Amino acid sequence: MTKAITARAHTNIALIKYWGKLDADLIIPQNSSLSLTLAPFYTDTTVQFSPELSHDQIKIDGQLLSTAAGQRVHTFLDLVRQRAGLTAFAQVDSTNHVPTAAGLASSASGFAALAAAASKAAGLELSLPELSRLARRGSGSATRSIYGGFVEWQKGHDDLDSQAVPFQEKIDFDIQMIAILLDPRPKKVASRAGMAQVVATSPYYAAWPPTAEQDLIAMKAAILKKDLNLIGQLAEANAMKMHATTLSASPPFTYFEPETLTAIELVQNLRNNGVSCYYTMDAGPNVKVICSAKETPAILAQLQQHFPADHLLVAKPGPGVTYI
Ligand code: DP6
């Protein structure tokens, strides 16, 4: 039996979205992306390989997964076993401090923590770039959760150069997010299926990779200038360009729920009243508000008139992957 290793990885929210794959097996994206790792949302995962097991045993939040439900994790563990020259099955115990599959990127923290714990338990001593590339094979957004702060996923061309690099690990200006939890249920269209459908069918998709690359250049300059308003404007516009591709897919779909529009309108109203805040959304109905800590009390006061206080989660920037 190998030693049990526990790793913690935080989730991240993209300011410039990853949307569409060039290679679905290796998870090579069509465009580079940039995210902010968040402190309060994380996954702790413990992995131990044991010759006594007859199959991988995967527990998420205390629930043992069936073989079918755990297929993505099994496939990922096969990759780790193959690299380490191991044949033993693994016991995986994972706890999400993120609402699972609610558009708060639990697959990002989940596969980043799994990559770190499983590789070390298997005896592989991977560098951070190697870990980032390994995490990518589980879920694209997990690539970025290896690092803290602002993180860029450079799309690269192949398995060896598609990886995240820290853009600014220690953030020295006031920026955070407020996640508005509108619907804690698993999303109707998973990000994986949604982006594949868009790439295959939306006539607008061709415009996405070049516009995202331009947005990324502008975003990096805005971060270096510590310009929260510009960061927010760019993130908001980039997210809406991504969501426009779902409406133009065949069949069309959307991640918006009625409450999503309410949240967006509230952010716009706050802004019209001089409070600087911006919204972004991923492959789910939840809205994340980009703002400063200084303006958070005013924003919360407004949002609390429409949403329960315990559905508003304030998130400061968080760190990269750690062993605990
Ligand atoms: C909209 O990383 O969940 O959140 O690579 O298929 O596992 P797979 O997809 P995933 O997609 C995330 C998409 C996004 C944007 C982003 O996080 O950059």
Side-chain angles (χ1 to χ4, degrees), residues 30-64:
Q30 296 246 11
N31 64 284
S32 298
S33 53
L34 190 142
S35 59
L36 181 62
T37 302
L38 299 179
F41 311 135
Y42 58 89
T43 302
D44 286 339
T45 298
T46 304
V47 179
Q48 184 166 35
F49 290 92
S50 163
E52 266 135 57
L53 293 172
S54 57
H55 55 276
D56 290 324
Q57 274 187 11
I58 299 146
K59 248 197 218 168
I60 298 187
D61 296 330
Q63 294 265 48
L64 202 57

Side-chain angles (χ1 to χ4, degrees), residues 233-303:
Q233 280 161 19
L234 289 164
E236 201 174 280
N238 181 264
M240 292 306 103
K241 283 188 267 187
M242 178 200 119
H243 284 276
T245 66
T246 70
L247 293 176
S248 54
S250 177
F253 64 103
T254 181
Y255 291 109
F256 285 59
E257 299 272 350
E259 293 275 85
T260 307
L261 294 173
T262 304
I264 288 177
E265 210 178 347
L266 284 169
V267 172
Q268 285 167 340
N269 288 346
L270 277 159
R271 210 152 69 209
N272 291 340
N273 288 317
V275 181
S276 88
C277 54
Y278 299 84
Y279 56 87
T280 186
M281 282 174 66
D282 293 292
N286 296 319
V287 172
K288 293 92 181 185
V289 182
I290 303 159
C291 59
S292 65
K294 178 168 97 247
E295 306 221 77
T296 295
I299 299 166
L300 285 176
Q302 182 70 36
L303 295 176

Side-chain angles (χ1 to χ4, degrees), residues 12 14 16-19 21 27 33 72 107 138-142 144 191-192 195 242 282-283:
N12 70 79
I16 303 298
K17 307 296 182 189
Y18 142 54
W19 195 239
K21 296 176 177 70
I27 311 198
S33 53
R72 244 171 107 174
S107 75
S139 183
S141 50
R144 299 181 306 237
S191 39
R192 181 159 296 187
M195 71 174 87
M242 178 200 119
D282 293 292

Side-chain angles (χ1 to χ4, degrees), residues 38-208:
L38 299 179
F41 311 135
Y42 58 89
T43 302
D44 286 339
T45 298
T46 304
V47 179
Q48 184 166 35
F49 290 92
S50 163
E52 266 135 57
L53 293 172
S54 57
H55 55 276
D56 290 324
Q57 274 187 11
I58 299 146
K59 248 197 218 168
I60 298 187
D61 296 330
Q63 294 265 48
L64 202 57
L65 296 192
S66 66
T67 312
Q71 197 47 53
R72 244 171 107 174
V73 177
H74 295 298
T75 308
F76 188 83
L77 289 167
D78 281 342
L79 195 67
V80 174
R81 277 188 280 264
Q82 194 191 331
R83 291 202 188 167
L86 262 186
T87 51
F89 289 106
Q91 193 155 346
V92 176
D93 206 334
S94 191
T95 307
N96 279 317
H97 299 264
V98 184
T100 303
L104 281 178
S106 58
S107 75
S109 56
F111 277 100
L114 182 65
S119 61
K120 197 171 171 120
L124 296 168
E125 288 294 336
L126 301 186
S127 65
L128 291 177
E130 285 170 328
L131 261 187
S132 171
R133 297 198 293 267
L134 176 62
R136 195 195 73 234
R137 301 290 299 271
S139 183
S141 50
T143 312
R144 299 181 306 237
S145 271
I146 298 303
Y147 299 103
F150 291 113
V151 183
E152 181 183 357
W153 174 11
Q154 299 179 338
K155 69 180 171 120
H157 304 95
D158 56 35
D159 193 29
L160 289 178
D161 67 358
S162 185
Q163 64 192 32
V165 291
F167 182 68
Q168 197 172 97
E169 284 206 275
K170 297 254 174 304
I171 300 171
D172 59 356
F173 64 102
D174 184 4
I175 184 166
Q176 59 184 26
M177 289 193 191
I178 303 168
I180 309 176
L181 294 190
L182 302 174
D183 186 351
R185 288 169 302 182
K187 46 202 172 196
K188 283 182 246 164
V189 183
S191 39
R192 181 159 296 187
M195 71 174 87
Q197 188 175 324
V198 161
V199 174
T201 65
S202 169
Y204 296 171
Y205 184 73
W208 168 258

